[in-house]
Amino acid sequence: MNKFYGTGIAMVTPFQTDGKIDYEGLEKLINHLIAGGVEYLVSLGTTGESATLSSEERKQVFAFTSKIVKGRVALVAGIGGNNTAEVIETIKHFDINGYDAILSASPNYTKPTQEGIYQHYKAIAEATPLPVILYNVPSRTGSNINADTVTRLAKDFKNIIGIKEASGNFDQINQIMRDKPESFLVISGDDPVTLPMIALGAVGVISVVGNALPRKTSNLTRLCLAGDFKAAQQPHSALIDFTRLMFVEGSPAGVKTALKHLNICGDTVRLSLVQVSSNTAQRIIQETDKLV
């Protein structure tokens, strides 16, 4: 699974001002990211506003993304939800052509027990022909995949190959690193902690910031993976303010503002998300200009 070492990008979904999907913008974004040297792309994760797309729109975005990528980098599909049966049906009808794995967030809102989370992922693992990357993001889902559950899933299912870990809980991360199978991949799900997570043994990041700054993000990740943390401190520090601004008024509104300034795609988001305030937008533009 070396294709998932390095920098993955949780891609935004560009929209036109009327809210329709902007496929021209999506093509520009894909080419921008590949030219920026990233190792893989994630289509329709949380950053892609997948919750606001219809099932038909998701099919179209998945197919279009695969067509444009053309195997140039690895490709991951975000397929998750809190209705396990519906997730499995989606997987069964998913055209896997061009895709290398599925990223599936822990069920949101319902706050399942650890056994419920285990059984949810067990059902997914048994239904998909593709490898599965778990996604733990308690700030969005309302529940945490405990370290014991992560290692249990990793040991019980060979096609559960890794986790995008975004809990921010380093005690938990330490436990996962200690107890996981050697081949199981831990991937940073938080841009600000990519450096320390790789220092603990993570194999890279699935980044939001990298939508706008793929070259800087991937260069930082490579320095960390090479063990040159002293050299990595400078680019890590340079991205702190920019990264904070990406999330100060919600994601992906922040990074879409930067992408609009870079003439990659527009900054339209779908409700219940809204665009960042003019003050934050100006700060994002100023910080972007410092880094490009």
Side-chain angles (χ1 to χ4, degrees):
M1 292 293 105
N2 287 349
K3 64 182 71 177
F4 303 119
Y5 279 62
T7 301
I9 303 296
M11 291 193 298
V12 305
T13 302
F15 298 119
Q16 299 172 7
T17 55
D18 63 1
K20 294 179 181 177
I21 295 169
D22 175 12
Y23 286 102
E24 182 180 346
L26 180 54
E27 182 172 1
K28 283 185 71 174
L29 175 66
I30 291 167
N31 289 329
H32 164 69
L33 297 175
I34 294 173
V38 306
E39 277 73 31
Y40 61 102
L41 304 177
V42 178
S43 178
L44 294 184
T46 308
T47 307
E49 298 176 69
S50 53
T52 70
L53 272 66
S54 69
S55 59
E56 185 58 34
E57 284 177 322
R58 288 193 289 270
K59 287 179 185 178
Q60 291 170 359
V61 169
F62 281 140
F64 182 84
T65 300
S66 175
K67 181 180 76 170
I68 299 303
V69 170
K70 295 179 183 175
R72 289 178 288 169
V73 294
L75 190 53
V76 179
I79 302 177
N82 57 15
N83 181 340
T84 308
E86 184 178 345
V87 174
I88 290 170
E89 278 302 302
T90 300
I91 289 170
K92 285 180 178 178
H93 293 95
F94 175 62
D95 181 359
I96 67 172
N97 182 46
Y99 284 85
D100 299 277
I102 287 170
L103 175 71
S104 193
S106 180
N108 65 298
Y109 186 74
T110 51
K111 290 191 174 182
T113 63
Q114 293 303 301
E115 184 61 27
I117 291 171
Y118 176 89
Q119 293 296 333
H120 173 82
Y121 280 119
K122 176 179 184 287
I124 290 172
E126 291 174 344
T128 178
L130 290 174
V132 176
I133 301 172
L134 313 174
Y135 182 15
N136 186 36
V137 57
S139 64
R140 289 185 178 272
T141 63
S143 65
N144 179 57
I145 312 176
N146 292 349
D148 289 343
T149 303
V150 173
T151 54
R152 182 184 173 199
L153 285 164
K155 291 173 180 177
D156 288 355
F157 302 98
K158 290 183 178 179
N159 64 335
I160 296 181
I161 62 164
I163 183 168
K164 178 184 177 183
E165 173 56 51
S167 69
N169 182 340
F170 274 83
D171 182 55
Q172 174 167 299
I173 294 163
N174 283 334
Q175 187 179 335
I176 294 170
M177 291 294 188
R178 183 192 66 191
D179 298 339
K180 72 179 183 66
E182 185 177 356
S183 61
F184 185 78
L185 309 177
V186 177
I187 301 165
S188 172
D190 283 321
D191 279 288
V193 297
T194 299
L195 187 155
M197 279 195 65
I198 292 177
L200 289 172
V203 300
V205 61
I206 295 177
S207 171
V208 173
V209 169
N211 276 280
L213 302 172
R215 182 69 62 186
K216 288 194 178 297
T217 305
S218 56
N219 285 346
L220 168 61
T221 305
R222 288 193 188 98
L223 285 170
C224 293
L225 288 174
D228 195 347
F229 293 104
K230 185 171 180 60
Q233 287 173 2
Q234 190 281 325
H236 167 79
S237 296
L239 286 168
I240 289 174
D241 289 341
F242 182 82
T243 300
R244 186 181 296 119
L245 285 166
M246 293 302 95
F247 300 97
V248 70
E249 290 189 26
S251 177
V255 77
K256 280 190 168 182
T257 301
L259 287 165
K260 180 179 180 180
H261 181 61
L262 294 169
N263 199 32
I264 304 298
C265 64
D267 62 351
T268 301
V269 290
R270 284 183 174 178
L271 288 171
S272 58
L273 299 180
V274 295
Q275 293 159 308
V276 301
S277 65
S278 58
N279 180 58
T280 296
Q282 189 57 42
R283 292 166 63 200
I284 289 171
I285 289 167
Q286 290 171 353
E287 199 63 31
T288 302
D289 285 341
K290 291 180 187 177
L291 294 168
V292 294

